[in-house]
Amino acid sequence: MSDSCSSITAVHPDIIQTHILTKLDGPTLVSASSVSTQLHTLCSEENLWKTICNSNWPSTTDSRIQQIISKFPSAYRSFYSDSYPTIRISVRPKENSPELESTKNQTGGELISAIDIHYGTEIIYSKVIFTDTSKSWFLSSPLRIDLLDSKEIVPTPAKFDGDEKTCMARMEKNMRLSWILIDPVKNRAVNLSSLTPVEVRRHWLTGEIQVRYTTVMAAGIGGGFVKCGVDVTCGGKGGGDLHVREISMQVEDLEGKVLSGKESMGILLDAMEGKRVNGKIDENIKMYQMFSEMRVIWRERRQKRERRLDMVCIASGVTIFMAFWMCIFFR
């Protein structure tokens, strides 16, 4: 190989930055930055990461979000490194102990959600919401964040053609959701959504299609697992367009209980500080299936405990009843 093509560093930096790096996605840009000191400097250019973030998550073009991201340690590069990878679970659960440990982290202010929904290459919904986490009603009530009003709908390019399997397969293949939670105090972020839907099903009563995105995470030391789920409910008339009618997020434990704002925020903030991995689509689905199986096992064990307790109560009642009448007859 000739000296002129032996190294990319021989290319003028302006050409690299303008014609090469601008065509790379985030993971490729990270890999390129480790090749040399020069490339690391060029790959750290702020506008590159801003363009990537705006392209992946149009909600980051919101002026309020831009102002918050500018305070991150490395601005958009830090935001991307927090929001792109999947949350890594590093705590081994206790299968017979779904109770949650008391949360140590409190928000004391507000958390920001940046939500984007793509259908194929088209952005169909983008929204930024601010949640006040300091109110007592928020801390004590089950946490559920709804994005759409009762009469609000979001049109999609998909058709509601009446073929159940085809329609659900189309939604599973094309619909992508991102729900990034941002802590403006600690300047951290985390993406709560799975890379792709973990489940697409038709509601047994309404016939609407429910697209579910789930991230399974640890619930504190020894606390087991919880799932952060985002459900997108879609409906429409036969032959017409499919509309998004409901988008909601909540955190559930193995018992199926929706956690309070205090419990949920403690777990989500812990996840925000935790490690990240380059997630794979199959891993998201496997973790969701694992969580569902653990929930079934836990419920079966609880039912067995309750049946044993019922038998003990019945036996105790019979014993007391017989002892009472024996005392009466043998006085």
Side-chain angles (χ1 to χ4, degrees):
M1 183 179 293
S2 63
D3 293 339
S4 61
C5 60
S6 61
S7 175
I8 192 174
T9 56
V11 182
H12 195 280
D14 290 344
I15 296 177
I16 296 175
Q17 198 165 57
T18 306
H19 298 285
I20 299 177
L21 298 184
T22 55
K23 301 182 185 303
L24 304 182
D25 59 13
T28 308
L29 197 61
V30 171
S31 299
S33 67
S34 62
V35 172
S36 68
T37 303
Q38 181 187 16
L39 277 179
H40 178 77
T41 302
L42 294 175
C43 290
S44 301
E45 208 279 325
E46 178 67 7
N47 284 331
L48 283 174
W49 291 102
K50 181 177 181 179
T51 300
I52 290 174
C53 288
N54 292 168
S55 177
N56 281 290
W57 310 299
S59 58
T60 58
T61 60
D62 186 290
S63 59
R64 297 167 296 178
I65 298 296
Q66 290 180 346
Q67 184 177 3
I68 293 168
I69 293 177
S70 67
K71 298 177 182 178
F72 276 52
S74 298
Y76 282 91
R77 186 156 57 96
S78 295
F79 181 81
Y80 184 89
S81 66
D82 273 355
S83 305
Y84 179 78
T86 303
I87 298 171
R88 179 178 182 179
I89 298 175
S90 58
V91 177
R92 186 177 182 86
K94 294 182 179 180
E95 293 183 1
N96 61 347
S97 180
E99 294 81 6
L100 298 175
E101 192 177 81
S102 299
T103 56
K104 298 178 181 179
N105 293 322
Q106 300 299 326
T107 59
E110 66 179 4
L111 287 175
I112 303 155
S113 296
I115 304 98
D116 298 285
I117 301 179
H118 287 83
Y119 190 89
T121 58
E122 180 181 347
I123 180 72
I124 62 173
Y125 183 78
S126 185
K127 188 172 185 177
V128 174
I129 59 173
F130 289 73
T131 304
D132 187 349
T133 62
S134 63
K135 304 296 184 182
S136 58
W137 64 265
F138 172 85
L139 296 173
S140 59
S141 303
L143 173 65
R144 178 185 168 99
I145 300 178
D146 291 289
L147 300 185
L148 303 181
D149 296 330
S150 58
K151 296 182 179 180
E152 186 179 1
I153 62 172
V154 178
T156 73
K159 296 291 182 181
F160 195 79
D161 51 21
D163 186 341
E164 179 178 328
K165 291 184 178 179
T166 301
C167 196
M168 290 194 296
R170 194 182 298 130
M171 298 299 289
E172 182 176 8
K173 178 181 178 181
N174 294 293
M175 184 170 280
R176 298 290 180 268
L177 179 141
S178 172
W179 189 306
I180 299 176
L181 193 69
I182 305 169
D183 183 351
V185 176
K186 295 183 178 179
N187 296 325
R188 294 301 303 269
V190 64
N191 199 333
L192 303 178
S193 177
S194 52
L195 299 174
T196 58
V198 296
E199 184 181 39
V200 180
R201 64 181 181 179
R202 199 155 193 170
H203 193 278
W204 67 274
L205 180 61
T206 64
E208 294 177 321
I209 296 176
Q210 294 181 319
V211 187
R212 176 163 294 172
Y213 302 83
T214 298
T215 295
V216 178
M217 60 188 73
I221 299 175
F225 287 153
V226 298
K227 71 169 184 178
C228 179
V230 181
D231 288 341
V232 180
T233 303
C234 307
K237 296 181 180 180
D241 293 334
L242 198 63
H243 301 292
V244 176
R245 295 181 174 175
E246 183 178 303
I247 308 169
S248 62
M249 185 275 284
Q250 59 189 25
V251 181
E252 297 179 16
D253 64 8
L254 282 174
E255 192 177 352
K257 166 191 160 188
V258 179
L259 303 187
S260 68
K262 179 180 180 180
E263 293 169 323
S264 298
M265 288 301 101
I267 292 169
L268 295 177
L269 288 174
D270 281 343
M272 199 175 290
E273 297 289 339
K275 295 182 179 180
R276 310 288 200 275
V277 293
N278 291 326
K280 298 179 181 179
I281 294 175
D282 291 343
E283 289 179 359
N284 295 127
I285 297 175
K286 286 179 181 178
M287 290 303 300
Y288 174 71
Q289 292 172 343
M290 179 209 70
F291 183 88
S292 300
E293 291 170 0
M294 288 179 60
R295 173 173 285 182
V296 171
I297 292 172
W298 186 86
R299 285 177 175 174
E300 289 175 349
R301 290 180 178 178
R302 184 182 64 177
Q303 289 173 357
K304 289 180 181 179
R305 288 197 299 268
E306 290 175 348
R307 284 196 293 267
R308 287 197 295 265
L309 182 60
D310 289 342
M311 293 299 296
V312 170
C313 292
I314 292 172
S316 300
V318 171
T319 302
I320 294 172
F321 178 80
M322 292 179 64
F324 173 77
W325 284 107
M326 287 178 67
C327 289
I328 296 295
F329 284 124
F330 294 100
R331 263 184 168 179

